[in-house]
Amino acid sequence: MSVDDLDRRILAMLRADGRASFAHIGDEVGLSPSAVKRRVDRMVADGVIQGFTALIDPEIEGRSTEAYVELFCRGTVAPAELTRILSQIPDVDEAFTVTGSADAIVRIRAQSPPHLEVALEKVRLAPQVDSTRSAIVLSRLFGPNAADPLDGRPR
């Protein structure tokens, strides 16, 4: 899996707009659309590009309350065990093992603060979890789904 500077430029354009046409990308990087397609196909086959997805507005999905939760576990808990536990909680969107004092960090997206509380209780009820520390997201400054907190328009 090697990528050169042209591949990196193509990847940057796809990261900014996954629906950009091969012709548009080719115009920007100085390649024909077919050459861009061959490079993208190769990067998909090599696992450099791991998929294409649509980012959906959490408001539309009814999951606008977001929190990051640090998990502090009793003893040593294998990542596979944390995966098994956390994947059974519907509002858990992502989970990561991390360095530092926490054993893992979980992102929860819920319909409302009361729904977030229910999801947190499910996390806390796991016998391996000793305690949690939560931070509720107030606004997303940049990145996917970032919007102006006052008028809701995309940034």
Side-chain angles (χ1 to χ4, degrees), residues 88-153:
Q88 296 176 21
I89 303 170
D91 287 334
V92 171
D93 240 16
E94 294 182 289
F96 311 91
T97 55
V98 295
T99 62
S101 59
D103 295 293
I105 294 179
V106 175
R107 183 176 77 173
I108 295 176
R109 278 203 170 144
Q111 183 178 351
S112 64
H115 287 90
L116 173 63
E117 187 173 22
V118 168
L120 280 171
E121 280 306 309
K122 289 178 182 176
V123 169
R124 290 179 183 137
L125 286 174
Q128 298 82 349
V129 175
D130 189 41
S131 63
T132 62
R133 181 173 41 216
S134 304
I136 296 175
V137 175
L138 299 177
S139 66
R140 186 173 297 276
L141 300 175
F142 61 88
N145 296 322
D148 186 296
L150 299 179
D151 67 16
R153 290 185 301 186

Side-chain angles (χ1 to χ4, degrees), residues 76-91:
T76 302
V77 180
E81 179 66 6
L82 281 176
T83 300
R84 186 189 66 74
I85 294 164
L86 297 170
S87 65
Q88 296 176 21
I89 303 170
D91 287 334

Side-chain angles (χ1 to χ4, degrees), residues 52-73:
F52 297 88
T53 188
L55 298 172
I56 310 300
D57 182 350
E59 294 278 339
I60 299 301
E61 292 183 309
R63 300 174 59 200
S64 59
T65 301
E66 182 177 11
Y68 287 85
V69 181
E70 292 179 302
L71 273 60
F72 300 89
C73 297

